[in-house]
Amino acid sequence: MNRLFKIVLLIVTFLCGLYWLWFYVSPAITIVNNSSSDITHANIELPSSRLDFGEIKSGASNTLYYTLSQPRDGSYLYKIITAHEITHQGSCGYVTNNELNKRLKIVITQDNRVLCEID
């Protein structure tokens, strides 16, 4: 029974490690809302897909991961709408195929400016 426990523990540890590794290597986009109003809609268009962040409260953030496989290159196109009906639209950064651990952060500042940071 002790040997069976060790084998099960080893398998569970291995699977948890693979799960963590997947999130480490997958590219991600984070939207940080530092403005005084809630974000009601936030969308990011990639060349081959679309990410919908939904609602983001003031002072909060939301992170979404996307697939490493990007058949086409292109810019990240964002459209962010706040509760005060301010619309932010533009592009930021560039996406290509197999970008391991790429992190894009889009920050809405207190004075309603959009800042893009790529790690």
Side-chain angles (χ1 to χ4, degrees), residues 4-114:
L4 178 63
F5 176 74
K6 287 179 183 178
I7 291 171
V8 169
L9 183 63
L10 181 66
I11 291 171
V12 169
T13 302
F14 177 73
L15 291 176
C16 287
L18 282 178
Y19 182 75
W20 177 82
L21 182 64
W22 174 255
F23 282 106
Y24 180 75
V25 299
S26 294
I29 301 173
T30 301
I31 296 179
V32 180
N33 184 8
N34 289 334
S35 71
S36 59
S37 68
D38 295 345
I39 292 173
T40 57
H41 296 79
N43 298 317
I44 305 289
E45 296 280 340
L46 297 144
S48 300
S49 61
R50 179 174 181 259
L51 301 173
D52 185 359
F53 287 80
E55 184 177 342
I56 304 172
K57 299 286 186 189
S58 178
S61 66
N62 190 3
T63 300
L64 294 179
Y65 294 85
Y66 61 93
T67 182
L68 282 169
S69 175
Q70 294 296 317
R72 293 181 287 160
D73 293 356
S75 296
Y76 299 96
L77 303 175
Y78 62 84
K79 183 174 182 180
I80 300 169
I81 302 171
T82 66
H84 294 122
E85 296 187 17
I86 298 172
T87 300
H88 304 282
Q89 266 185 299
S91 67
C92 126
Y94 197 77
V95 61
T96 60
N97 196 28
N98 293 323
E99 294 181 299
L100 297 175
N101 195 32
K102 182 175 185 179
R103 301 292 186 251
L104 171 67
K105 187 189 299 185
I106 299 174
V107 180
I108 310 300
T109 63
Q110 289 179 337
D111 57 350
N112 286 315
R113 291 183 300 126
V114 177

